[in-house]
Structure formats: C-alpha cells, structure tokens
C-alpha cells in the first residue's frame, strides 16, 4: 500500500508575517518604480525615488522589529497587526506620492497607518531590547506597552476627528494639519512623556536584574 501523500504544514504566524511583508513591499516597490518612471522630469524622478526609499525605511524599522518578535514568539498578534499597519503605510504613502491623491478619507487612513507604525515600533523595540526578570521590570515593561497602545488610540482619534480638508498628505507620506478635537492634544503629550519615561525605565530595570546565585556559581565554574 502506498504511503499517503504528506500534508502541508500549516502556516505559522512568522510565515504569515513574512507573507504580509513581501506582498506589501512588492506592491510598494512596483508603485514606486512606476512613480519614478512616470515623473515629468529627472529632478522629479529623483525626488520620488528618494521619497519612496524614505517611506520604506521609515516603516521598515517597524517591520524588522515585528518580524523579530514573531521569530521569538513574543507579542505575535500585535506583531502581525504592526506588519499590516506598516505595509499599509508604505503602499498608501507611495501611491499618494505617485498620484497626489486629494482625498480627506485617504489622508486619514494613511495617517492612522503611520500612527500605528510608529507606536508599534515603540512596543516591538522595547520587547526586543528588554527582558524583564523581576516584578519591577515587568511593571515598567507592561506600563510602557499599555501607554504606547493608549497613545495610538488617542492619535487615531485625533486624526479621525479632523475634517473639512484639515488633513493634508505630504511627499514624505506623513499627513499633517489641524485636528478636530484639540482636547486630546494635551493627553497625547502627557502619554508621550509617560511612554518615553517607562520605555527607558523598563530597559534599565531589565538590565539591572540579577540572576539567581546558583547561576553565578555555574557561570564561574
């Protein structure tokens, strides 16, 4: 009797993350090349090429950190979400760089993608840099992650509350403009201070944690 054909192994979360990354980068790269080739002058072509590279490297930091988290099986669901946000930020920004899309909804979507790309980088970077071993380090670590997620929500609300052409996309892919709910600006500023403080406090606390005495004995031996 012939052996049954081997069944394909299910995709891991890392495999899914790699697939998301390759698809988004492929789409962004193709659009970027079209934008360069379609430019009206050589100077414009260089500008669009530089703009595309800048956009990719801006979001690429989040992509690299998220993939590293997936490889280490840490914050896997958040890492997948960060890859989606970074991929959208690249594709939407490069498409806007090519076509100069004049749409408030499009600019808001791009702004939200960039917001979560930035805060995702803070979360994933800390997850890779700090390995909390005691209660204090864990408290700082979880506090920094929670504050980063809160900052993303507040920034998203600010972008969503803008209206009437307040949000304007730029050649760097990062929209700017007035926000509709100014009451959220002060909380966002406070959250950014908290994130910065807790981020480095978590890093310092994780570095200051000591192993058990037995570990030192084994290391000396």
């Amino acid at each position: 009797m012939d052996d049954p054909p081997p069944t394909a192994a299910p995709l891991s979360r890392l495999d899914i993350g790699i697939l998301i990354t390759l698809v988004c980068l492929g789409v962004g790269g193709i659009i970027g090349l079209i934008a360069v080739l379609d430019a009206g002058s050589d100077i414009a072509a260089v500008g669009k090429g530089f703009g595309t590279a800048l956009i990719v490297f801006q979001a690429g930091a989040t992509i690299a950190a998220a993939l590293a988290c997936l490889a280490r099986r840490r914050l896997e669901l958040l890492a997948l979400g960060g890859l989606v946000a970074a991929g959208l930020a690249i594709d939407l920004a490069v498409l806007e760089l090519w076509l100069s899309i004049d749409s408030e909804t499009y600019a808001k979507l791009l702004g939200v993608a960039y917001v979560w790309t930035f805060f995702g980088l803070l979360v994933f970077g800390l997850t890779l840099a700090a390995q909390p071993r005691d209660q204090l380090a864990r408290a700082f670590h979880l506090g920094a992650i929670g504050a980063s997620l809160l900052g993303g929500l507040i920034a998203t609300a600010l972008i969503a509350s803008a209206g009437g052409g307040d949000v304007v996309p730029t050649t760097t892919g990062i929209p700017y403009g007035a926000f509709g709910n100014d009451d959220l600006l002060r909380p966002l500023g406070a959250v950014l201070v908290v994130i910065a403080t807790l981020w480095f406090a978590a890093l310092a606390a994780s570095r200051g944690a000591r192993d058990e005495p037995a570990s030192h004995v084994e290391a000396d031996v």
Side-chain angles (χ1 to χ4, degrees), residues 137-150:
R138 283 192 293 270
F140 285 146
H141 189 265
L142 292 176
I145 292 178
S148 298
L149 296 178
L150 178 60

Side-chain angles (χ1 to χ4, degrees), residues 83-193:
L83 288 175
V84 172
L88 280 177
I90 291 174
D91 293 344
L92 294 177
V94 174
L95 186 61
E96 193 281 326
L97 187 65
W98 173 33
L99 299 177
S100 299
I101 300 172
D102 184 14
S103 170
E104 178 185 334
T105 301
Y106 189 92
K108 286 184 177 181
L109 182 59
L110 176 55
V112 170
Y114 257 96
V115 159
W116 286 107
T117 298
F118 170 72
F119 285 102
L121 177 60
L122 298 181
V123 171
F124 307 139
L126 179 61
T127 300
L128 295 174
Q131 296 181 358
R133 297 184 179 89
D134 56 23
Q135 186 174 359
L136 179 61
R138 283 192 293 270
F140 285 146
H141 189 265
L142 292 176
I145 292 178
S148 298
L149 296 178
L150 178 60
L153 291 174
I154 294 175
T156 299
L158 280 169
I159 294 173
S161 65
D166 291 335
V167 180
V168 180
T170 69
T171 55
T172 63
I174 304 177
Y176 71 91
F179 296 104
N181 189 353
D182 294 339
D183 294 336
L184 293 175
L185 290 175
R186 192 182 301 273
L188 179 59
V191 168
L192 290 174
V193 172

Side-chain angles (χ1 to χ4, degrees), residues 38-68:
D38 190 51
S41 65
D42 293 339
I43 296 298
V46 171
K48 291 187 176 183
F50 177 79
T52 299
L54 179 62
I55 290 166
V56 172
F57 277 108
Q58 284 175 340
T62 302
I63 291 175
L67 288 175

